[in-house]
């Protein structure tokens, strides 16, 4: 199988799949961080996290605990509820995630 066939096959498989919860949460954190004009380092310091762990979370690769989610919400000056509701983490199937 050539590279273009592999790419077409991959895109067909992933095109309609919604982002998983970790990816949606990461996008919400990144969006809110950018709204506040904070660097990852600044947010990590506020939340008492390592910057590379924050980067993992924003990319949807980290799996933050409830305590970490609360630390991030506090550091982002937003409630946990608002972070989940206002940034559309609870995505319905087929619903688009807003880009920033």
């Amino acid at each position: 199988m050539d590279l273009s066939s592999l790419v077409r096959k991959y895109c067909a498989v992933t095109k309609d799949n919604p982002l998983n919860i970790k990816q949606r949460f990461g996008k919400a954190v990144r969006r809110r961080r950018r709204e506040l004009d904070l660097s990852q380092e600044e947010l990590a310091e506020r939340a008492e996290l390592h910057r590379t762990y924050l980067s993992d979370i924003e990319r949807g690769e980290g799996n933050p605990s409830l305590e970490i989610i609360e630390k991030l919400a506090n550091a982002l000056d937003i409630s946990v509820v608002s972070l989940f509701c206002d940034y559309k983490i609870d995505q319905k199937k087929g619903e688009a995630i807003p880009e920033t």
Side-chain angles (χ1 to χ4, degrees), residues 3-95:
L3 181 59
S4 62
S5 297
L6 284 172
V7 169
R8 278 194 303 277
K9 183 177 180 182
Y10 175 77
C11 290
V13 169
T14 60
K15 184 170 98 176
D16 297 325
N17 289 347
L19 298 175
N20 68 43
I21 185 71
K22 292 188 298 185
Q23 292 167 323
R24 295 190 313 265
F25 181 75
K27 280 181 159 270
V29 169
R30 178 179 292 136
R31 186 170 157 208
R32 177 65 178 166
R33 175 177 62 79
R34 288 179 174 169
E35 286 175 359
L36 297 174
D37 197 28
L38 295 172
S39 69
Q40 282 185 339
E41 290 158 349
E42 290 169 322
L43 177 57
E45 186 175 316
R46 283 185 177 193
E48 300 177 341
L49 301 173
H50 197 278
R51 191 208 50 82
T52 57
Y53 181 52
L54 175 59
S55 176
D56 288 346
I57 291 170
E58 286 191 358
R59 288 191 324 271
E61 295 174 7
N63 193 14
S65 67
L66 292 173
E67 288 87 3
I68 298 298
I69 292 170
E70 183 178 51
K71 280 183 166 189
L72 283 168
N74 289 336
L76 291 166
D77 197 29
I78 193 170
S79 71
V80 172
V81 171
S82 293
L83 185 59
F84 276 75
C85 293
D86 296 350
Y87 294 88
K88 310 231 184 281
I89 292 173
D90 188 21
Q91 177 190 21
K92 294 182 177 106
K93 191 169 182 148
E95 184 180 327

